[in-house]
Amino acid sequence: MNLPIHRLITTVSTCSSFFLRRRLAHFTFFKDKPDPSHGPTKEMNLCQTIQNALGITLGNDHTAIIFGEDVAFGGVFRCTADLRSKYGADRVFNTPLCEQGIVAFGIGAAVAGTTAIAEIQFADYIFPAYDQIVNEAAKYRYRSQNLFNCGRLTIRAPWGAVGHGALYHSQSPEAQFLHTPGIKVVIPRSAIQAKGLLLSCIKDDNPCIFFEPKILYRSAKEDVPLKEYTIPLSKAEIISEGSDVTLVSWGTQVHVIREVAQMAAKDNISCEVIDLRTILPWDIDTICQSVSKTGRLLISHEAPITGGVGAEIAATVSKECFLNLEAPIERVCGYDIHPIPHVFEPFYFPSKWRCLEVLKRMLNF
Amino acid sequence: MFRVYSNTRVIYGLCRALNNQISKRYQSSSSSSTTTTAAANVALEPNVSKMSMFSGHIKGAITNNLEFIRPENITPISMYQVLDSDGSIKEKSHTPDFTDEDLIKMYKDMTLLNVLDRILYESQRQGRISFYMTNFGEEATHIGSAAALNAKDLVYGQYREAGVLMYRGFKLHEFIDQCFGNARSSCKGVQMPVHYGSTDLSFVTISSTLATQMPQAVGSAYAYKRAQNGLCVVCYFGEGAASEGDAHAALNFAATLEVPVIFFCRNNGYAISTTTVDQYRGDGIASRGAGYGMATTRVDGNDLFAVYNATKAARELALNEMRPVLIEAMTLRVGHHSTSDDSSAYRSIDEVRSRDKRDNPSLRVRKYMYNRGCWNEEKEEQWTKDSQKMVMEAFANCEKTKRAPISTMFENIYDKMEPHLQRQMKEMKEHVRQNHDHFPLSLYEQSST
């Protein structure tokens, strides 16, 4: 944020102007500590970390290319800054403005043996490429029974609420891809996580979609290990253990539920906080094991509730853990309106207050 | 709002970057060494003194006359022909350098494809395979182009290019296996008939979605350009598929990224029942090439030699100049769109038949070969018998072959079988085991587990 701290405090207490309020994020960023075995670190925000991961890839894999709209000068979020000058114009380049072309080009490059990293400027604009993702990329290996595949394709896109993105710069469309066998969908909550998960996606021999929470690009600063490391896909992370209720989320919303857990702890409610990390294929076992222990599950995501990823998790867990459940599974999500109406964002949000309210309801069931 | 803001930042950044570039170029121009002339330097660099950064890089003259280009007044692009309907060649210098063996191979491929099509079409009518698409009338587009390519040039097809596979050596039983969907099928029965694929023959597996292969071909061509392997990519598509957004994406990407891809359009006059008058109003697909900045030509798709010459020249152009080429081959879809189509509903079958009888690609080649003396009535009769026999034998063998084990349907969703799929496969097998009477298990090979 650009406002100096002292002005911020007076502003909050005296001024109800939306214009000033909009700079306050809806969450508190929880910094993680790096794995000490990963060696020296550098303070980096999410965007610098992505740049770092992409640089490592370009350095190690001579076939790797990065392409999309505006990536040459560094990208609208600066995630590809300096890569073109360092690795060459044939490896980091602009394409015409056409998402279906970008993804399809990436598929073809991957088919011919290239590590293809496609950037879609905003997840909201991924839909022209939906046919290529669902009918082509996802099916490539299956329909040819492994004669051909596009496993070396990774698609990156900025994702989720940013405070003022309104209807076309705020979407979190992971549910639209959950229903597509054959691709993997990954969403990191932080810089340290993003590096490991992105490198895993790039190395994974299946087409992957990597959604980057754009609100974290600048604000999510952590001490990120400089060396190359991966974080396994399809493995949820239990961030903090607990015994009364399991809280599951991904991306930015993980920080909301972490805060909810802290608030609940004051009322002696012990929360187990889980970051799902990979949406597809998702880690059924970790979630179910946790709910078998706690008996309660609260899933929270920014995307609208109906047909969201939470619905899939709720249905599976209710079957696998039916006899362990102490309360119905709850989902605290966006409403079934278009995410996110500009001036109404504070009301749309599955905020910590909404989550806390639901959590208490579950405990009093 | 955000996008506008970031775009403003983008434009600002671009302005700065461009300014830096321009001033750098000015510096290099003005400080050029005495060994290169000033004229040569100016020719290599953009004329920055007249360049306005906001009006694009293609500069036309200023005019004070207001004119609308009326495309209907522009002469249509000519159609290149070598071999006419009588099997004679007007421009002898354009005769391709084929040996008798080359010609006989190509002719046999064209006619064997016809026999295969007839038998498989019939077999669908008899309920022995579920679906089929014939290639009647378009044999020259397949064989002529395939013959001009390197065997390793990567081919992306639409669905009516079986002759390319035939030319490259796909065996009869491989075609038929795929149509039966048996265990030997290139896709193990996962896709409908005619969705062939082969890594050995560099032919990417067909998918039913139209034009999706086109921008993919550009991506592969970019990979080949970087690999500097001397290969190009060929992408076949129909005039109907050319209306899809993916086609526009492909042509634009190929031209801007300067990749060695040949876009080969089979304009056969029909997209199922839709004729070209409902598909486009411009001068076919060829007229679009210039709009993309792409080298383009139009050929007589029923002329094996013209197709061959054009493809050969296109390949050289693409690889020597590292740029895409568009070929529009004018032909006719003689058969129905597929076994699900009865084209008498929208066109006169008699007209199509009589036109095909008067002039078809194989007939032209046969006439030429008769004149040349490398083929005759006797050989034609013998070949008619032989080709029929070959296909029937392959067919009988393929029909007996079992389908792949049912576990196949869970394989290759991902590179490894994920836990949830392993669980679901186990469930399915258990269900089948307990209800085996309800399933036609004898048609399938046994699972290994």
Side-chain angles (χ1 to χ4, degrees):
Chain A
M1 286 174 268
N2 295 340
L3 287 175
I5 293 292
H6 63 274
R7 276 197 58 202
L8 197 64
I9 294 167
T10 29
T11 305
V12 165
S13 57
T14 62
C15 183
S16 60
S17 156
F18 172 75
F19 180 74
L20 290 165
R21 281 279 176 81
R22 73 172 165 87
R23 290 189 174 274
L24 293 172
H26 61 274
F27 65 97
T28 307
F29 178 69
F30 281 73
K31 244 171 118 154
D32 285 322
K33 290 214 168 37
D35 184 340
S37 71
H38 283 155
T41 64
K42 185 173 173 209
E43 194 187 43
M44 289 192 257
N45 60 25
L46 178 63
C47 129
Q48 289 162 330
T49 306
I50 302 289
Q51 185 195 2
N52 175 265
L54 294 175
I56 288 173
T57 302
L58 290 168
N60 291 345
D61 179 349
H62 69 96
T63 74
I65 56 174
I66 300 172
F67 51 92
E69 295 151 24
D70 302 300
V71 300
F73 91 103
V76 293
F77 289 108
R78 320 295 297 128
C79 292
T80 52
D82 303 325
L83 294 177
R84 181 177 169 95
S85 53
K86 204 162 169 210
Y87 295 103
D90 63 323
R91 299 185 68 191
V92 181
F93 54 93
N94 291 338
T95 62
L97 209 167
C98 177
E99 287 76 12
Q100 67 196 101
I102 290 168
V103 170
F105 175 90
I107 292 171
V111 166
T114 304
T115 296
I117 303 166
E119 176 173 306
I120 298 294
Q121 201 156 82
F122 284 87
D124 313 57
Y125 307 133
I126 202 166
F127 299 107
Y130 201 60
D131 184 42
Q132 285 285 347
I133 293 169
V134 170
N135 271 334
E136 296 287 317
K139 294 176 166 62
Y140 231 91
R141 191 188 294 278
Y142 189 68
R143 73 188 189 201
S144 69
Q145 281 296 294
N146 209 22
L147 288 182
F148 298 93
N149 75 77
C150 61
R152 296 174 74 161
L153 173 67
T154 303
I155 301 166
R156 298 174 37 245
W159 167 104
V162 72
H164 52 274
L167 304 182
Y168 298 103
H169 299 81
S170 310
Q171 291 177 46
S172 32
E174 64 275 11
Q176 319 253 23
F177 298 96
L178 174 67
H179 201 60
T180 305
I183 55 170
K184 296 195 177 182
V185 179
V186 177
I187 307 175
R189 69 169 183 275
S190 71
I192 293 176
Q193 289 289 311
K195 180 169 173 175
L197 289 169
L198 177 57
L199 287 172
S200 289
C201 285
I202 292 170
K203 289 174 199 291
D204 191 277
D205 207 13
N206 296 288
C208 295
I209 302 179
F210 187 76
F211 286 126
E212 300 165 1
K214 63 177 88 70
I215 200 173
L216 299 180
Y217 273 143
R218 308 261 172 273
S219 59
K221 285 201 180 104
E222 284 175 321
D223 296 315
V224 182
L226 287 163
K227 69 172 262 220
E228 185 178 344
Y229 63 92
T230 55
I231 291 175
L233 301 184
S234 295
K235 200 88 198 58
E237 184 184 355
I238 301 175
I239 294 174
S240 51
E241 287 184 20
S243 52
D244 295 329
V245 57
T246 303
L247 308 179
V248 175
S249 189
W250 48 90
T252 318
Q253 196 66 5
V254 172
H255 301 285
V256 175
I257 61 173
R258 283 177 95 162
E259 193 170 355
V260 171
Q262 275 185 350
M263 291 158 82
K266 297 203 184 86
D267 290 329
N268 288 326
I269 301 170
S270 164
C271 298
E272 183 144 293
V273 179
I274 302 183
D275 177 3
L276 191 63
R277 303 199 292 195
T278 300
I279 308 301
L280 177 73
W282 65 281
D283 185 355
I284 300 174
D285 289 339
T286 299
I287 310 300
C288 289
Q289 271 163 38
S290 171
V291 180
S292 306
K293 183 177 75 171
T294 63
R296 295 176 188 86
L297 174 61
L298 187 156
I299 309 157
S300 187
H301 56 68
E302 284 180 23
I305 188 168
T306 295
V309 174
E312 163 63 29
I313 299 172
T316 303
V317 173
S318 78
K319 181 192 170 198
E320 300 294 329
C321 306
F322 187 70
L323 294 173
N324 300 83
L325 288 171
E326 297 290 340
I329 297 172
E330 292 270 14
R331 297 174 288 159
V332 183
C333 306
Y335 299 109
D336 285 332
I337 60 179
H338 299 286
I340 306 177
H342 193 216
V343 306
F344 302 107
E345 185 157 329
F347 301 94
Y348 171 85
F349 228 82
S351 67
K352 60 193 179 201
W353 305 114
R354 278 176 62 196
C355 289
L356 199 61
E357 190 185 304
V358 168
L359 196 146
K360 289 189 175 150
R361 185 166 73 213
M362 288 168 76
L363 278 141
N364 294 330
F365 189 76
Chain B
M1 213 174 74
F2 191 78
R3 191 170 175 83
V4 168
Y5 170 63
S6 58
N7 279 348
T8 313
R9 280 171 50 219
V10 165
I11 290 172
Y12 180 63
L14 273 171
C15 285
R16 279 195 315 180
L18 211 51
N19 262 321
N20 290 339
Q21 289 285 62
I22 290 171
S23 50
K24 279 197 192 121
R25 284 172 175 172
Y26 245 148
Q27 280 164 25
S28 65
S29 290
S30 55
S31 61
S32 62
S33 73
T34 48
T35 52
T36 55
T37 63
N41 252 355
V42 167
L44 290 171
E45 303 288 5
N47 189 344
V48 299
S49 56
K50 291 211 182 109
M51 184 168 156
S52 162
M53 70 176 82
F54 294 114
S55 56
H57 63 289
I58 309 286
K59 306 291 291 175
I62 293 175
T63 173
N64 299 113
N65 273 340
L66 173 61
E67 264 186 56
F68 287 99
I69 299 170
R70 285 184 180 268
E72 56 272 21
N73 297 338
I74 301 176
T75 309
I77 297 170
S78 305
M79 189 178 76
Y80 172 63
Q81 185 188 75
V82 175
L83 191 66
D84 65 20
S85 337
D86 297 321
S88 24
I89 297 181
K90 290 211 171 57
E91 192 50 63
K92 294 275 186 279
S93 63
H94 282 240
T95 314
D97 207 3
F98 291 140
T99 63
D100 288 349
E101 284 72 39
D102 293 333
L103 279 167
I104 291 168
K105 173 194 159 47
M106 290 191 292
Y107 178 73
K108 281 187 170 180
D109 284 340
M110 288 164 81
T111 46
L112 187 60
L113 180 62
N114 293 154
V115 176
L116 181 69
D117 277 355
R118 263 198 299 276
I119 289 172
L120 285 174
Y121 186 92
E122 271 315 301
S123 77
Q124 192 277 344
R125 284 294 179 248
Q126 294 166 17
R128 291 154 97 165
I129 62 174
S130 64
F131 175 82
Y132 193 69
M133 300 177 96
T134 59
N135 302 274
F136 301 126
E138 302 185 46
E139 303 85 355
T141 61
H142 303 180
I143 306 299
S145 55
L149 300 172
N150 182 305
K152 292 245 164 287
D153 287 336
L154 190 60
V155 171
Y156 279 86
Q158 178 165 306
Y159 52 58
R160 219 183 290 279
E161 295 89 13
V164 175
L165 274 169
M166 184 74 87
Y167 181 89
R168 284 188 167 184
F170 210 53
K171 300 192 187 46
L172 286 174
H173 81 82
E174 291 183 286
F175 286 106
I176 304 171
D177 279 333
Q178 199 283 333
C179 290
F180 273 113
N182 63 35
R184 281 191 317 214
S185 155
S186 57
C187 61
K188 303 220 192 96
V190 154
Q191 289 212 73
M192 285 169 79
V194 312
H195 290 63
Y196 312 114
S198 167
T199 43
D200 293 340
L201 304 181
S202 300
F203 190 98
V204 181
T205 301
I206 300 294
S207 69
S208 311
T209 42
L210 289 184
T212 48
Q213 76 280 13
M214 293 178 70
Q216 292 171 20
V218 179
S220 293
Y222 191 86
Y224 279 15
K225 170 168 144 172
R226 283 203 70 232
Q228 297 180 329
N229 56 14
L231 297 175
C232 73
V233 176
V234 181
C235 180
Y236 295 91
F237 60 103
E239 87 287 349
S243 296
E244 280 281 357
D246 275 346
H248 162 68
L251 297 173
N252 197 27
F253 273 57
T256 50
L257 297 172
E258 297 172 343
V259 298
V261 60
I262 300 172
F263 290 109
F264 193 105
C265 178
R266 295 176 293 96
N267 188 332
N268 64 14
Y270 292 89
I272 308 188
S273 70
T274 306
T275 57
T276 54
V277 77
D278 288 335
Q279 198 65 248
Y280 55 76
R281 284 304 156 90
D283 175 21
I285 312 309
S287 62
R288 301 177 196 174
Y292 291 104
M294 191 177 302
T296 307
T297 194
R298 171 175 280 155
V299 302
D300 179 349
N302 285 0
D303 174 351
L304 182 72
F305 294 175
V307 172
Y308 174 80
N309 284 352
T311 309
K312 188 148 174 273
R315 188 179 190 277
E316 269 166 41
L317 203 168
L319 283 167
N320 291 344
E321 296 179 42
M322 214 27 89
R323 62 183 296 184
V325 184
L326 174 62
I327 299 174
E328 183 181 21
M330 312 306 288
T331 179
L332 174 66
R333 193 198 78 207
V334 169
H336 306 300
H337 165 71
S338 72
T339 47
S340 307
D341 175 50
D342 174 8
S343 60
S344 67
Y346 51 82
R347 63 183 186 178
S348 159
I349 298 282
D350 286 337
E351 257 183 63
V352 175
R353 279 216 188 106
S354 63
R355 195 187 139 178
D356 183 52
K357 211 157 166 242
R358 269 198 325 269
D359 178 30
N360 73 57
S362 319
L363 185 59
R364 288 197 210 180
V365 176
R366 190 157 77 237
K367 284 181 180 170
Y368 174 80
M369 292 201 302
Y370 277 19
N371 290 339
R372 180 160 155 156
C374 59
W375 199 251
N376 55 41
E377 286 278 356
E378 195 196 314
K379 288 188 174 148
E380 176 68 19
E381 258 187 61
Q382 187 56 45
W383 171 241
T384 306
K385 290 200 195 89
D386 289 344
S387 53
Q388 180 83 5
K389 187 158 172 268
M390 283 162 71
V391 178
M392 291 306 297
E393 275 173 9
F395 188 90
N397 183 284
C398 294
E399 197 167 30
K400 292 198 220 90
T401 307
K402 285 197 176 193
R403 296 174 180 175
I406 56 178
S407 53
T408 308
M409 67 190 229
F410 285 95
E411 286 162 14
N412 294 307
I413 297 284
Y414 296 100
D415 62 329
K416 303 185 195 67
M417 199 183 292
E418 296 281 325
H420 68 291
L421 288 171
Q422 287 177 19
R423 268 193 277 246
Q424 290 174 21
M425 180 170 76
K426 210 166 146 222
E427 265 177 48
M428 182 201 69
K429 283 186 171 170
E430 187 49 37
H431 174 82
V432 169
R433 198 185 64 81
Q434 290 184 14
N435 297 275
H436 55 86
D437 299 337
H438 302 315
F439 296 98
L441 289 169
S442 59
L443 296 175
Y444 301 82
E445 286 178 356
Q446 292 279 57
S447 281
S448 48
T449 43

